Amino acid sequence: MGTLAALEYHLVAYRRVWRASVFGTFALPAMFLVAMGFTVGGYVDERSSGLGAPYLDWIGPGLLASTALQVAVADSTWPVFSMFNWIKVYHAMRASPLTAAAIARGHLLFVALRVAIAGVAFLLVMLLFGAVHSWWAVATPLAAVLVGLAFAAPTFAFAAAVDSDGYFAVLFRLVVVPMSLFAGVFFPVGGLPAPARVLAYASPLWHGVELCRAATLGTATAWGAWVHAGVLVAYVAAGYALARRGFTRRLED
């Protein structure tokens, strides 16, 4: 019940500001697909890329997974840090019967909901562009949620541990941006040097890209769907353990 009570706070707050996120949720995916799928994709398709599908159809699910990552990061850095250090919402929650673990779970569930909405919106845009070729595509929002939580949970722990929001710039520059560029979103990771491939395979985004791409194209994944899903679940579990520990240290010790 405590988890749902914490989630309710975020839902009530979001109800007041949801209109501001509509453009980013629906319009930006369409613009991104047009920019990458049609313009860049036209050049790629002319040169027989060997991707097994038009570049628009191939890059769409990758961008969907990347969008899930971006939404999760946006909701797991400054919002979490501010509730510890600036507006003290977590401390107010802890003054109630809510435990630190329930506070962390409630906020993580809200992030999962935000990622799911973004995933569904992106999937609808892909459908309008004719980039969906399998009924398995209905599972892509779930894959997006796994990707989002696989990054959000450890980022919660990071936000609970740092004493300055300046560390988030380091997180973006050294983790988020490289992961977005080299985890199979824009091109196959098989063409990367061996050390870079290892890093790509270790990233949660690559596993999410594989799941989303297989679902929308109706093809097999690189390592099998259950392996990719298992890796993402492991990231979520480990990240949640770290987040729970960090929240407990900040709110109960």
Side-chain angles (χ1 to χ4, degrees):
M1 293 300 294
T3 301
L4 295 180
L7 172 63
E8 183 181 5
Y9 163 81
H10 296 287
L11 292 176
V12 170
Y14 185 65
R15 186 175 63 183
R16 300 172 181 173
V17 300
W18 66 270
R19 295 174 182 84
S21 67
V22 170
F23 178 80
T25 301
F26 291 93
L28 286 183
M31 294 168 62
F32 214 24
L33 275 179
V34 170
M36 299 302 300
F38 285 108
T39 57
V40 176
Y43 293 107
V44 174
D45 293 336
E46 286 178 3
R47 287 157 179 77
S48 301
S49 63
L51 297 175
Y55 191 64
L56 172 67
D57 301 1
W58 190 87
I59 197 177
L63 293 175
L64 189 155
S66 181
T67 297
L69 172 66
Q70 300 294 334
V71 171
V73 172
D75 280 12
S76 304
T77 46
W78 283 277
V80 174
F81 184 85
S82 69
M83 291 186 180
F84 276 121
N85 299 281
W86 296 334
I87 58 177
K88 306 287 186 178
V89 169
Y90 289 150
H91 296 278
M93 288 182 173
R94 187 63 192 95
S96 73
L98 295 180
T99 64
I103 294 169
R105 287 194 300 268
H107 200 166
L108 278 171
L109 282 177
F110 174 72
V111 173
L113 179 61
R114 288 268 291 123
V115 171
I117 293 172
V120 171
F122 206 113
L123 182 62
L124 291 175
V125 172
M126 288 180 60
L127 188 63
L128 292 175
F129 281 105
V132 176
H133 302 279
S134 171
W135 284 104
W136 282 106
V138 297
T140 52
L142 177 59
V145 168
L146 285 177
V147 173
L149 289 179
F151 202 88
T155 305
F156 266 48
F158 182 71
V162 298
D163 57 4
S164 170
D165 64 326
Y167 287 101
F168 296 142
V170 178
L171 177 67
F172 275 87
R173 291 171 184 171
L174 298 184
V175 180
V176 176
V177 172
M179 188 186 302
S180 300
L181 293 176
F182 301 109
V185 176
F186 301 102
F187 54 85
V189 300
L192 294 172
R197 284 202 306 272
V198 172
L199 292 176
Y201 296 151
S203 71
L205 181 57
W206 179 74
H207 295 280
V209 169
E210 284 292 311
L211 288 174
C212 291
R213 189 164 285 147
T216 59
L217 295 180
T219 57
T221 64
W223 295 355
W226 290 111
V227 174
H228 296 296
V231 171
L232 291 174
V233 169
Y235 266 106
V236 175
Y240 169 70
L242 292 172
R244 179 172 179 170
R245 179 179 178 182
F247 273 57
T248 300
R249 180 181 62 81
R250 289 292 300 272
L251 298 176
E252 296 186 1
D253 290 351

